[in-house]
Amino acid sequence: MGRGSAQDRVTLVGLDFGSTTMSLLVIEAAIASHCVTGRMGFERPRTVFRPEPVFTPFREGRLDLAAIEARVREWLTEAGLRPEDVFAGGAIVTGLAAERENADALARLVVDLIGEAVVATADDPRLESWLAFMGGAAALSRAHGERTVLNLDIGGGTTNAALGRAGEVLATGCHFIGARHFEVEPGSTRVRRVSRYGAALLDRLEITARDGDELTAADIAQITGYQVAALKAMVAGDRAFFHDAAGRLFEQVPLVVEGVTGEEPIVTFSGGVGEIVYALASGA
C-alpha cells in the first residue's frame, strides 16, 4: 500500500470478478483524520474511470487468467495508471468464478497488476448476498426505512437474495439460478457448455439437448419459465417450490423470513442480469 499524508488525494482501484462479468472502478479520495475520533480515513471520493463491464473469460472450465490480465492491463492503460500510482486496491471474486480451481491464482494476478491489494473470494453465499444488498440497495432501503427491500442479485451462476429494512439486512439466501448455466455459441442457440445445475434442469424438464445441440424455442421457453417461476417463489416465500429433487439442488441457502411484517417488499435487482433488467425497463 502506498503512503499519503493528511489531505492527500489518492487513487484507489477496485475489481469485481463474477460468474458473468468482470468490472473495474477507479476513484480518487482524500485522506483526512476524523474531527471527533481522530482516525484516518477516506473522504470526498470521486469516480475517475469506470469502463463498461465485460464477460468474465473462462477457458476449459477455468478462469482464463491470460485474457483477464490483458483486459485489466488495457483498462489501466486507458485510465493512465501504473501500479505505483495506485494507493490501495481491492478485488472480490464471486459466484462461479469463486468456485474455479485457479481462483487463488487470480488473487495473485491482481496483486501483480495493481500492487498490494485485498482480495476476497466470496465462497460464503450469505456474505455475497449481504454485499450485494449493501452495494445495490442499502441507500434505497435507508431512504424508505418503513419498507422492507428485497434485493435479487442475479448473476451468471447464482441469485443472491437479501431482505433488509432501514439499511440493515434481515435475511439472506442463495439459489443456483443464473445466466451462465447455459452457454451458447454467440449469435445462435447452439449449446457450448451446460453446468451441472443446467444439466439437472434439462433432466427435470425432460429436454434432451446437450453440448453441441441446438436449443429450440420451446426448450428456451421451458428453461426461462422455470427460472422465473423459481424467482417468483423466492419473492413470495414459497418454500414448497424447492422441495423436489431439482429444487433442492438449486437452493443452496433458503431465504427464510421470520417475524417480518408490513407491506410487501420493494424488489430491486443487481448483478449482471440485474443490469439487463434495468436496461430493458428504460427502453434500451
Side-chain angles (χ1 to χ4, degrees):
M1 181 178 292
R3 297 183 178 274
S5 58
Q7 300 303 322
D8 281 347
R9 288 195 69 81
V10 295
T11 300
L12 310 171
V13 175
L15 288 159
D16 182 356
F17 302 97
S19 304
T20 304
T21 59
M22 56 178 281
S23 57
L24 173 139
L25 175 66
V26 180
I27 68 171
E28 286 184 352
I31 298 179
S33 59
H34 193 278
C35 62
V36 176
T37 66
R39 293 178 180 175
M40 299 297 290
F42 297 117
E43 294 184 351
R44 302 188 302 279
R46 178 175 67 89
T47 299
V48 295
F49 184 66
R50 188 173 190 172
E52 287 294 316
V54 299
F55 286 119
T56 303
F58 292 93
R59 187 180 180 85
E60 297 179 352
R62 294 161 56 89
L63 290 161
D64 189 339
L65 297 181
I68 290 173
E69 179 179 3
R71 172 61 66 175
V72 174
R73 289 191 183 279
E74 180 181 326
W75 278 338
L76 293 175
T77 299
E78 292 175 10
L81 287 178
R82 301 165 300 171
E84 57 266 32
D85 298 326
V86 180
F87 178 79
I92 185 167
V93 187
T94 61
L96 295 182
E99 294 184 359
R100 296 300 188 257
E101 62 184 53
N102 60 341
D104 289 343
L106 175 59
R108 294 191 292 272
L109 175 62
V110 169
V111 173
D112 290 341
L113 290 170
I114 62 175
E116 292 187 37
V118 176
V119 182
T121 301
D123 49 7
D124 181 343
R126 295 181 179 88
L127 171 61
E128 191 173 344
S129 300
W130 182 88
L131 287 169
F133 183 93
M134 298 308 293
L140 178 69
S141 177
R142 286 191 292 268
H144 300 273
E146 75 288 354
R147 297 285 302 277
T148 53
V149 174
L150 177 60
N151 185 66
L152 300 178
D153 186 71
I154 311 177
T158 57
T159 293
N160 291 85
L163 182 76
R165 176 178 283 154
E168 297 293 330
V169 173
L170 305 174
T172 58
C174 180
H175 294 69
F176 289 108
I177 300 167
R180 206 151 190 175
H181 293 301
F182 299 90
E183 296 181 34
V184 298
E185 296 290 342
S188 76
T189 60
R190 184 178 298 280
V191 177
R192 173 184 287 173
R193 179 178 176 273
V194 179
S195 74
R196 68 185 183 98
Y197 302 101
L201 180 54
L202 293 179
D203 290 340
R204 165 72 168 71
L205 299 174
E206 299 182 348
I207 295 173
T208 59
R210 290 296 186 271
D211 293 2
D213 295 336
E214 292 277 351
L215 290 172
T216 68
D219 294 337
I220 294 170
Q222 285 192 78
I223 292 167
T224 56
Y226 181 92
Q227 293 181 322
V228 170
L231 293 174
K232 288 182 176 179
M234 291 167 57
V235 173
D238 178 12
R239 294 293 314 290
F241 184 93
F242 301 100
H243 283 177
D244 64 11
R248 288 192 295 272
L249 177 65
F250 294 126
E251 188 177 58
Q252 184 181 17
V253 178
L255 178 66
V256 179
V257 179
E258 297 178 350
V260 178
T261 59
E263 298 179 68
E264 292 184 355
I266 300 168
V267 179
T268 60
F269 298 92
S270 58
V273 175
E275 291 188 16
I276 296 173
V277 170
Y278 287 117
L280 288 170
S282 64

